[in-house]
């Protein structure tokens, strides 16, 4: 489907696709197996200027928006959802600075991110605070012209590899959710450590670790916006980045679909390619339709975010919810189409199915997305 | 108007043109399109190669022969062969060129002359004599021991200008190609590279040079009508070596030149040989090649085993190399090496055109592939539909028995 | 350092197929690309610029659409581009082509090094590079697989030979033709692509480069193509059948003479 992309967006998408096909696809199975972080790919992405597509030109970016980031994320995810997270996760970690950072903070951090010189990570989740993000326990105690952070963040994407971390911590425990603040913490700061790399079902090339703060002193200049804004920063960040997760899910689904289609055309059983059987055709048709619908919803939402719409929570949640459910269904169907071969690790689709699952879980589980959607719908109907 | 002159050189007879588009399809450069059902040639792209003239069934395209007075070329005589030597050893390509040169000289009724440059060339005159040379031009000087562009170019240009050969053949080797291109420019001669066929148009006393283009998809015949010498390079192992005839006596002409002729702007600092413990792919008489159909890098072991038994070189398709199963130096095909062995055994190779281009002139081609529709079977002398992993070891066993290894 | 890279736009020959019915080339949908070997020359030129500072000018002789090849080269890091295009160049063989390019180089002005790909994938002659150096009367080294050292006065390079490689030292200015072993070409960057999109390379005609008309195009080409034909397609032979042991015996028997003679 033609999404009426600008010439620059087409260029961006084509370059991302070329990198995905020529550079990521050949090595994806290797990184899935070894669970190493794909630094060589990050370098290629950096050299290609893709890290800055959504960042303002004055900070070295290309002046695009979330739509552009989605286009790139989708293409990269089509080759490997895990490797793509080095890129997409950096986006998530950067958005708090982009939306709420001061000019000094933007000048200090955004240019290196745009160049791909430094990766970023977003830290909110804790062992006791997943869906219930409000019950985080990490604290930030004011001490002179710094804040001292204490606590442990869990399951942070890019942790250990990224150099720039945007962290949500409580500056005023008494105020609960309203007492949280957002900070920028650089890797190497004394008192900041990383836990072991988690062993995951999928997106194995993505580095997931605990981030441990132990009397970690952070300059007050690194506070994003004001004290107490932490949750607003977090929620707005997630609303803005959710189309990106949707794009990742769409990419994973499309990648699996591509493999399934090719297999169906070439696999001969009962004297015919299985793509000539209606049962298989119907599965493929549903896969194709769902992926396109998910893509259309993701792009529409991304464009809505870029247009500066005041409230995008409901739509963002819809896009992420729908795309992630589609990704899970489509990748499962892809394995089905491959039959026995789909179950074998020598064939690419079981990886897509393992990778897809995370999209239903992180950045808000599907259940939380539904909460958000319903709450917004009810609120809107009350207004009428 | 009945005739549309695209330029001074090519014209389309509009009354004859039926708009059948055969010429459009024939043009290797995409220079022809249809406008109002008549052919139109884009002169910015047209190379005047004449493929459309051949293709047109209605004689609607006319290619003008080049205008201008024909030069008097009668003073140019004899067929020359540049004989390449390395470390004092005359390379076998030289014998192949002498063999071909002899035939050309006979058709023209002229002499076959060998040209050799080097340092310490005692005995080489006899060797070249025995291969059929009527005359030998030799320049023996220490500065010429190893090939350097400047002195070799300068000397060859001087020889050509002094003795006016009508034809000069040279090997399409790394040395030959560097050297002869410069000589051709400096003597304003025509040069055709990598000829697979040479012949004489006796009426016009022209060398007909045939070579592949577009990666071997088409062949072109080229002439040098108005410039001399007519120069051509030929690849190793395309022509047959001249027979050895110890009784032949060639006239030896030794040339000397003033010192500055031997100067070189570039300096050779070192010569590094990379020792291959395997048979050189480009030179081998038998090549055993593996492709994607083998299934994995470890399976190349059966290929190597068969190659060892046959004293053959190991080749590979691009897919196998891209998958990192075997280094690029073994790649056969359009972007790899072109080979022309007596026997080429392709195992698990489907036969995409890019691969075929690199080996289709092999004498005997054997294809082993699980897929009965693999394109390689269309050009194979012998084909086996089956699993290379089973057939190849069995074949190796048989050859070991036959060759008593 | 001023580096000039000469490139050629060629049809993507990996796409060119023969129509079995008419025995002619099928060119539909065959796109034009930068000659694969030139990509290595462009990459080496950009690397030299990154190593030593300076600029890279990319030059090509071709029809107007060759501008796309120049733009691609710009997106890969070349700084300036020049298209030499004129109907008078039609029918040029390698002599006329190298003459034309050498005149364009003279118009570009002072340079330190000219880089060319080993050969073009449509003509496959490998003659234009050495031809340019002969017209300009500068030293050359062909089949370069590594530039080991380079300064303003000279370069030390490794030249591939059939047996291995030679180490050759050449003064600058010079011309080098490069082989694939020399580097791995990079992908274009977005900023590079955007800069290339906006670029308008100048187009030089025969007059602009003060070329002698007698040395151009068909008139200036000593060689002429008189015939183009498709080679007779190689016919298939026989398909052997049987069980593995029998097949191996039969095939070995058929190949016995070749194996004994050349094995």
């Amino acid at each position: 489907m033609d999404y009426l992309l600008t010439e620059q967006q087409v260029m961006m998408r084509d370059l991302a696709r070329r990198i995905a096909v020529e550079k990521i696809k050949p090595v994806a199975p290797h990184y899935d197996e070894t669970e190493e972080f794909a630094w060589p790919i990050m370098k290629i992405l950096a050299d290609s200027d893709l890290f800055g597509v959504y960042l303002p030109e004055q900070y070295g970016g290309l002046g695009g928006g979330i739509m552009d980031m989605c286009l790139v994320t989708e293409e990269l995810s089509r080759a490997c959802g895990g490797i793509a997270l080095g890129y997409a996760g950096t986006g998530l970690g950067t958005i708090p600075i982009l939306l709420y950072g001061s000019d000094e903070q933007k000048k200090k951090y955004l240019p290196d991110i745009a160049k791909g010189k430094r990766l970023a990570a977003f830290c909110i989740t804790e062992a006791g605070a997943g869906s219930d993000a409000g019950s985080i326990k990490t604290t930030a105690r004011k001490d002179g012209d710094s804040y001292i952070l204490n606590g442990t963040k869990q399951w942070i994407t890019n942790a250990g590899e990224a150099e720039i971390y945007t962290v949500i911590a409580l500056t005023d425990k008494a105020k609960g959710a309203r007492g949280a603040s957002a900070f920028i913490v650089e890797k190497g700061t004394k008192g900041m450590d990383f836990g072991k790399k988690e062993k995951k079902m999928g997106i194995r090339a993505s580095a997931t670790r605990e981030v441990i703060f132990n009397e970690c002193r952070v300059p007050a200049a690194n506070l994003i916006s004001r004290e107490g804004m932490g949750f607003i920063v977090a929620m707005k960040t997630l609303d803005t980045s959710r189309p990106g997760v949707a794009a990742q899910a769409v990419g994973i689904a499309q990648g699996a679909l591509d493999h399934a289609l090719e297999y169906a055309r070439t696999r001969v059983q009962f004297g015919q390619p299985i793509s000539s059987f209606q049962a298989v055709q119907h599965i493929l048709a549903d896969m194709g339709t769902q992926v396109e619908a998910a893509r259309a919803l993701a792009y529409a939402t991304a464009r809505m975010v870029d247009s500066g719409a005041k409230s995008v929570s409901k739509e963002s949640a819809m896009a992420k919810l729908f795309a992630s459910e589609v990704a899970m269904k489509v990748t499962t169907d892809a394995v089905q189409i491959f039959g026995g071969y789909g179950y074998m690790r020598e064939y690419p689709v079981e990886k897509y199915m393992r990778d897809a699952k995370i999209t239903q879980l992180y950045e808000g589980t599907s259940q939380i997305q539904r909460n958000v959607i319903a709450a917004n719908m009810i609120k809107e109907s009350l207004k009428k | 108007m009945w005739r549309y002159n695209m330029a001074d050189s090519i014209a389309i007879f509009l009354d004859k043109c039926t708009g059948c588009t055969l010429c459009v399809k024939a043009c290797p450069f995409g220079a022809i399109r249809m406008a109002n059902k008549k052919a139109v040639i884009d002169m910015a792209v047209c190379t005047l190669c004449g493929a459309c003239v051949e293709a047109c069934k209605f004689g609607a395209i006319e290619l003008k022969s080049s205008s201008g007075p024909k030069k008097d070329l009668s003073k140019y005589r004899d067929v020359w062969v540049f004989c390449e030597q390395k470390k004092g050893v005359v390379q076998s390509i030289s014998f192949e060129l002498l063999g071909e040169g002899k035939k050309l000289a006979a058709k023209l009724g002229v002499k076959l002359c060998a040209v050799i440059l080097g340092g310490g060339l005692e005995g080489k005159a006899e060797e070249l004599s025995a291969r059929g040379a009527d005359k030998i031009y030799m320049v023996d000087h220490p500065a010429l021991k190893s090939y350097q562009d400047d002195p070799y170019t300068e000397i060859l240009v001087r020889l050509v200008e002094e003795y006016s050969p009508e034809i000069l053949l040279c090997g399409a080797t790394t040395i030959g190609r560097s050297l002869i291109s410069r000589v051709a420019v400096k003597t304003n001669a025509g040069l055709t590279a990598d000829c697979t066929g040479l012949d004489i148009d006796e009426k016009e006393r022209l060398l007909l040079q045939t070579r592949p283009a577009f990666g071997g998809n088409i062949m072109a015949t080229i002439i040098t009508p108005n410039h001399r010498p007519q120069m051509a390079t030929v690849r190793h192992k395309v022509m047959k070596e001249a027979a050895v005839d110890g009784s032949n006596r060639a006239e030896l002409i030794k040339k000397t030149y003033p010192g500055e002729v031997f100067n070189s702007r570039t300096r050779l600092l070192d010569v590094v040989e990379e020792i291959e413990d395997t048979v050189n792919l480009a030179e081998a008489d038998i090549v055993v090649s593996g492709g994607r159909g083998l299934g994995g890098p470890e399976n190349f072991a059966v290929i190597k085993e068969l190659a060892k038994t046959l004293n053959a070189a190991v080749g590979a398709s691009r897919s196998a190399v891209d998958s990192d199963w075997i280094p690029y130096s073994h790649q056969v095909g359009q972007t790899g090496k072109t080979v022309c062995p007596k026997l080429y055994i392709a195992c698990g190779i489907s036969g995409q055109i890019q691969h075929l281009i690199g080996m289709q002139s092999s004498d005997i081609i054997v294809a082993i592939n699980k897929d009965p529709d693999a394109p390689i079977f269309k050009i194979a002398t012998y084909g086996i539909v089956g699993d290379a992993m089973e057939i190849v070891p069995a074949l190796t066993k048989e050859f070991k028995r036959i060759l008593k290894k | 350092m001023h580096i000039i890279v000469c490139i050629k736009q060629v049809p993507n020959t990996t796409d060119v197929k023969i129509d079995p019915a008419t025995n002619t080339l099928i060119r539909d949908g065959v796109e034009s690309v930068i000659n694969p070997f030139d990509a290595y020359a462009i990459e080496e030129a950009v690397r030299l610029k990154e190593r030593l500072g300076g600029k890279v000018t990319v030059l090509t002789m071709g029809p107007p659409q060759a501008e796309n090849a120049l733009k691609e080269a710009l997106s890969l890091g070349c700084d300036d581009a020049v298209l030499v295009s004129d109907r008078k160049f039609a029918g040029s063989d390698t002599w006329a082509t190298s003459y034309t390019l050498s005149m364009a180089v003279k118009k570009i002005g002072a340079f330190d090094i000219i880089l060319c790909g080993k050969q073009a994938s449509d003509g496959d002659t490998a003659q234009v590079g050495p031809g340019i150096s002969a017209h300009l009367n500068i030293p050359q080294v062909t089949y370069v697989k590594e530039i080991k050292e380079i300064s303003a006065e000279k370069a030390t390079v490794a030249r591939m030979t059939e047996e291995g490689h030679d180490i050759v030292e050449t003064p600058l200015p010079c011309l080098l033709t490069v082989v694939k072993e020399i580097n791995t070409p990079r992908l274009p960057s977005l900023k590079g692509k955007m800069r290339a999109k906006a670029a308008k390379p100048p187009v030089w005609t025969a007059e602009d480069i003060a070329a002698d008309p007698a040395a151009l195009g068909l008139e200036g080409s000593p060689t002429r193509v008189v015939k183009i034909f498709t080679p007779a397609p190689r016919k298939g032979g026989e398909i052997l059948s049987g069980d593995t042991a029998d097949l191996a015996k039969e095939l070995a028997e058929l190949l016995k003479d070749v194996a004994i003679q050349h094995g």
Side-chain angles (χ1 to χ4, degrees):
Chain A
M1 201 174 284
D2 182 6
Y3 290 95
L4 306 174
L5 304 177
T6 65
E7 244 184 292
Q8 186 170 317
Q9 286 171 332
V10 173
M11 230 186 253
M12 205 174 276
R13 182 198 62 189
D14 289 348
L15 183 55
R17 187 173 294 174
R18 220 179 130 185
I19 293 175
V21 168
E22 287 179 29
K23 305 287 178 188
I24 300 181
K25 196 159 158 211
V27 299
H30 165 84
Y31 283 103
D32 183 55
E33 190 71 40
T34 60
E35 305 193 43
E36 289 168 74
F37 193 75
W39 277 111
I41 304 290
M42 294 304 121
K43 171 121 203 331
I44 293 173
L45 289 172
D47 289 342
S48 69
D49 297 322
L50 286 175
F51 270 103
V53 298
Y54 62 101
L55 294 173
E57 282 178 289
Q58 71 193 108
Y59 303 111
L62 272 90
I66 297 300
M67 177 64 183
D68 306 79
M69 180 162 79
C70 284
L71 288 171
V72 175
T73 304
E74 184 187 329
E75 292 301 328
L76 301 180
S77 303
R78 213 162 146 178
C80 176
I83 294 178
L85 262 181
Y87 175 82
T90 295
L92 176 60
T94 309
I95 288 171
I97 307 176
L98 180 64
L99 295 180
Y100 292 95
S102 67
D103 203 41
E104 286 79 47
Q105 288 168 336
K106 288 184 189 175
K107 267 203 204 105
K108 184 169 180 198
Y109 293 105
L110 295 186
D112 277 347
I113 293 174
K115 273 192 229 137
K117 262 180 85 180
R118 304 167 97 193
L119 303 181
F122 180 62
C123 308
I124 183 167
T125 303
E126 295 173 15
S131 294
D132 183 11
S135 53
I136 54 169
K137 298 264 183 299
T138 303
T139 51
R141 181 177 84 242
K142 190 129 205 295
D143 183 53
D145 59 356
S146 12
Y147 286 85
I148 313 246
L149 267 60
N150 274 290
T152 306
K153 295 295 183 186
Q154 193 183 57
W155 298 337
I156 305 303
T157 298
N158 288 346
E161 317 291 340
E163 293 190 41
I164 298 168
Y165 296 76
T166 43
V167 184
I168 312 295
L170 292 172
T171 34
D172 190 341
K173 272 196 245 183
K175 292 206 179 128
R178 286 179 207 240
S181 306
F183 297 90
I184 305 171
V185 187
E186 293 183 55
K187 180 175 168 190
T189 307
K190 189 157 172 291
M192 179 194 205
D193 265 305
F194 302 102
K196 67 174 192 338
K197 204 190 254 193
E198 302 289 352
K199 292 171 89 74
K200 306 188 295 292
M201 172 196 265
I203 52 161
R204 290 190 179 157
S206 168
T208 312
R209 293 184 171 96
E210 284 178 332
V211 184
I212 306 158
F213 298 100
N214 189 358
E215 291 296 301
C216 178
R217 186 175 288 272
V218 170
N222 285 23
L223 169 67
I224 296 178
S225 178
R226 300 181 313 280
E227 279 193 32
M229 279 292 283
F231 253 80
I232 298 181
V233 171
M235 290 308 117
K236 196 72 183 145
T237 294
L238 291 169
D239 281 348
T240 307
S241 68
R242 276 199 183 117
V245 184
Q248 182 198 24
V250 170
I252 292 173
Q254 183 67 55
L257 175 54
D258 292 343
H259 282 294
L261 254 172
E262 203 197 315
Y263 182 80
R265 272 191 310 109
T266 51
R267 170 69 170 172
V268 173
Q269 287 285 267
F270 308 107
Q272 307 171 55
I274 62 172
S275 60
S276 63
F277 299 130
Q278 203 173 59
V280 171
Q281 286 174 357
H282 284 190
I283 299 178
L284 289 170
D286 286 343
M287 287 163 87
T289 309
Q290 285 156 14
V291 173
E292 201 64 60
R295 179 178 291 124
L297 185 53
Y299 288 179
T301 309
R303 283 176 161 148
M304 195 178 155
V305 169
D306 287 339
S307 73
K310 238 180 123 237
S311 170
V312 296
S313 301
K314 181 182 77 169
E315 291 77 5
S316 263
M318 286 175 159
K320 196 258 189 194
L321 169 67
F322 189 72
S324 57
E325 310 276 91
V326 164
M328 202 59 228
K329 173 106 193 7
V330 165
T331 52
T332 308
D333 285 343
V335 173
Q336 194 70 20
I337 295 212
F338 268 74
Y341 288 102
Y343 205 68
M344 302 304 153
R345 279 162 58 181
E346 223 184 293
Y347 286 76
V349 281
E350 57 82 34
K351 173 178 178 292
Y352 282 88
M353 188 177 163
R354 282 187 287 112
D355 288 347
K357 187 64 195 169
I358 193 66
T359 61
Q360 292 176 307
L361 301 170
Y362 66 7
E363 290 210 31
T365 60
S366 298
Q367 287 65 36
I368 292 296
Q369 305 303 333
R370 289 185 172 97
N371 281 2
V372 171
I373 297 168
N376 275 281
M377 285 167 71
I378 292 167
K379 195 164 80 180
E380 281 165 28
S381 84
L382 280 174
K383 279 200 195 128
K384 290 202 182 94
Chain B
M1 116 165 92
W2 291 127
R3 176 195 180 109
Y4 191 53
N5 284 319
M6 302 308 312
D8 286 333
S9 35
I10 188 163
I12 298 195
F13 293 104
L14 294 174
D15 56 336
K16 292 191 182 159
C17 174
T18 63
C20 73
T21 75
L22 273 177
C23 57
V24 176
K25 295 193 180 86
C27 175
F29 304 96
I32 311 182
R33 59 183 167 82
M34 286 292 145
N36 294 328
K37 289 201 134 250
K38 298 288 179 195
V40 174
I41 301 178
D42 180 357
M43 286 317 296
V45 182
C46 172
T47 63
L48 301 162
C49 74
C52 54
V53 179
E54 299 267 331
C56 178
K57 291 192 169 54
F58 304 97
I61 308 182
E62 183 188 77
L63 189 60
K64 304 261 201 70
S65 38
S66 93
S67 48
K70 268 189 126 55
K71 287 195 222 148
D72 176 14
L73 304 167
S74 52
K75 75 165 178 168
Y76 292 92
R77 280 269 178 263
D78 291 345
V79 174
W80 281 25
V81 170
F82 175 80
C83 294
E84 190 176 316
Q85 58 81 17
K86 280 186 192 176
K87 292 189 167 174
V89 176
V90 179
Q91 302 295 291
S92 56
I93 177 69
S94 316
F95 305 140
E96 292 165 19
L97 293 173
L98 286 169
E100 190 63 23
K102 192 84 187 171
K103 292 190 223 153
L104 301 172
K107 283 197 177 168
L108 287 166
V110 298
K111 292 201 166 56
L112 173 66
C113 311
V115 180
I116 185 162
L117 276 55
L121 294 174
E122 298 76 42
K124 300 296 164 255
E126 283 73 30
E127 212 182 327
L128 295 173
S129 241
R131 295 285 186 160
D134 298 314
K135 259 192 196 160
I136 300 171
Y137 295 95
M138 179 183 285
V139 185
D140 193 340
H141 188 285
L144 299 176
K145 238 186 149 88
S146 295
Y147 173 76
Q148 286 283 71
D149 282 306
D150 282 344
Y152 270 67
T153 305
E154 182 60 30
I155 291 170
L156 198 48
V157 167
R158 286 182 180 227
L159 283 170
V160 163
E161 285 175 351
E162 190 181 338
Y163 293 102
S164 309
E166 59 193 301
I167 291 175
L168 172 54
L169 304 180
C170 181
T173 59
T174 48
I175 286 178
R177 288 166 143 175
S178 291
L179 170 63
I180 212 76
S181 308
R182 288 182 76 110
V183 173
V185 163
K186 287 188 184 291
T187 56
N188 199 16
L191 169 60
T192 305
D194 291 358
C195 297
T196 51
L198 291 171
D199 205 353
I200 299 288
D201 174 340
E202 288 169 60
K203 188 162 150 279
E204 304 282 334
R205 284 191 80 86
L206 283 175
L207 178 66
L208 299 171
Q209 305 147 61
T210 301
R211 67 180 304 274
F214 282 94
N217 280 311
I218 55 171
M219 305 296 287
T221 301
I222 294 157
I223 57 168
T224 308
N226 246 2
H227 295 75
R228 292 290 180 271
Q230 306 161 86
M231 300 191 184
T233 64
V234 180
R235 275 208 204 171
H236 194 22
K237 301 229 159 182
V238 171
M239 307 289 181
K240 271 183 66 173
E241 283 189 22
V244 176
D245 175 7
S247 67
N248 190 42
R249 290 280 169 271
E251 183 193 340
L252 175 60
I253 299 162
K254 283 182 137 178
K255 299 290 295 181
T256 54
Y257 292 100
E260 65 267 18
V261 168
F262 299 95
N263 289 344
S264 173
R265 286 171 294 187
T266 59
R267 280 200 311 143
L268 181 61
L269 298 179
D270 197 6
V271 176
V272 177
E273 268 180 34
E274 278 138 20
I275 300 161
E276 293 248 337
D277 56 0
T278 46
V279 180
N280 187 326
L281 181 57
E283 309 282 308
D285 282 329
I286 304 180
V287 176
V288 185
S289 243
R292 277 234 96 182
L294 289 181
E298 61 284 359
N299 294 342
F300 256 89
V302 316
I303 302 289
K304 291 181 183 159
E305 187 61 30
L306 177 57
K308 205 162 126 213
T309 309
L310 292 171
N311 203 21
V314 175
S317 70
R318 183 174 171 170
S319 322
V321 172
D322 281 351
S323 305
D324 272 330
W325 293 356
I326 188 166
Y328 170 70
S329 53
H330 292 271
Q331 186 171 317
V332 171
Q334 184 178 46
T335 48
K337 294 199 169 70
T338 300
V339 298
C340 180
K342 304 277 181 295
L343 171 61
Y344 188 89
I345 305 179
C347 313
I349 293 178
S350 63
Q352 297 306 314
I353 185 123
Q354 295 84 322
H355 186 78
L356 297 187
I357 282 167
M359 43 64 72
Q360 64 193 351
S361 16
S362 310
D363 282 1
I364 302 175
I365 296 176
V366 174
I368 305 172
N369 197 302
K370 283 186 218 167
D371 176 8
D373 292 325
I376 194 146
F377 285 119
K378 292 201 182 67
I379 61 153
T381 320
Y382 303 113
I384 294 182
V385 180
D387 187 351
M389 292 309 297
E390 282 179 28
I391 312 265
V392 172
L395 201 55
T396 305
K397 214 170 102 192
E398 281 302 310
F399 278 121
K400 280 190 171 149
R401 189 179 57 80
I402 292 178
L403 299 170
K404 298 186 191 30
K405 282 192 178 172
Chain C
M1 178 145 287
H2 184 198
I3 305 142
I4 298 181
V5 184
C6 294
I7 67 172
K8 184 179 180 186
Q9 190 185 50
V10 298
N12 191 355
T13 51
T14 53
D15 289 349
V16 172
K17 295 186 202 348
I18 305 278
D19 179 345
T22 58
N23 227 12
T24 50
L25 282 176
I26 301 172
R27 293 200 79 247
D28 302 325
V30 172
E31 41 156 2
S32 294
V33 296
I34 293 183
N35 171 36
F37 289 102
D38 294 343
Y40 296 87
I42 293 171
E43 175 64 25
E44 198 61 25
V46 176
R47 285 190 189 193
L48 282 176
K49 174 179 77 157
E50 288 168 350
R51 207 159 132 187
L52 302 160
K55 74 168 185 166
V56 179
T57 302
V58 58
L59 168 64
T60 192
M61 176 182 118
Q65 76 235 34
E67 188 189 64
N68 293 337
L70 291 176
K71 289 197 168 195
E72 206 185 312
L74 287 172
S75 78
L76 292 165
C78 298
D79 301 288
D80 291 329
V82 176
L83 170 61
V84 180
S85 184
D86 197 320
R87 286 190 172 187
K88 297 201 182 73
F89 301 148
S92 292
D93 74 353
T94 55
W95 198 103
T97 302
S98 53
Y99 169 73
T100 307
L101 285 170
S102 66
M103 294 306 286
V105 168
K106 286 188 182 154
K107 185 172 161 70
I108 288 176
F111 62 91
D112 297 287
I113 194 166
I114 301 179
L115 292 179
C116 302
K118 168 175 98 156
Q119 66 196 51
S121 60
D122 54 356
D124 281 330
T125 62
Q127 285 165 201
V128 172
I132 296 173
S133 73
H135 280 294
L136 293 173
N137 204 20
I138 56 175
Q140 73 177 27
V141 187
T142 53
Y143 301 95
V144 173
K145 74 168 193 175
E146 188 186 347
I147 299 179
K148 287 181 173 301
E149 279 162 39
I150 181 161
S151 68
E153 292 85 37
K154 58 186 172 135
T156 307
V157 305
R159 168 178 69 194
M160 262 180 58
T161 62
E162 281 88 355
E163 298 79 32
H165 65 268
D166 294 339
I167 308 290
V168 180
E169 185 192 88
T170 171
L172 263 52
C174 69
L175 180 141
L176 305 179
T177 74
V178 303
V179 292
K180 290 187 175 183
E181 284 76 359
I182 194 169
N183 60 41
T184 303
R186 68 190 64 188
L187 287 168
S189 71
L190 263 181
K191 290 188 179 156
K193 285 179 92 141
M194 280 155 47
R195 206 177 357 110
K197 194 160 116 47
K200 286 193 191 340
V203 181
W204 291 348
T205 61
E207 226 180 273
D208 290 328
I209 58 173
D212 174 6
L216 300 175
L218 200 60
E219 280 308 307
S221 301
T223 60
R224 299 262 338 256
V225 176
V226 291
K227 198 165 117 168
I228 288 222
F229 59 97
T230 38
R234 194 186 166 117
K235 292 265 187 312
E238 47 176 313
I239 305 279
L240 311 173
S241 46
D243 71 24
T244 304
D246 290 338
L247 280 171
K249 273 207 186 64
E250 195 185 340
L251 188 57
E253 192 60 36
L254 286 165
L255 300 174
K256 191 169 74 174
D257 293 333
V258 179
I260 292 176
Q261 208 177 27
H262 299 281

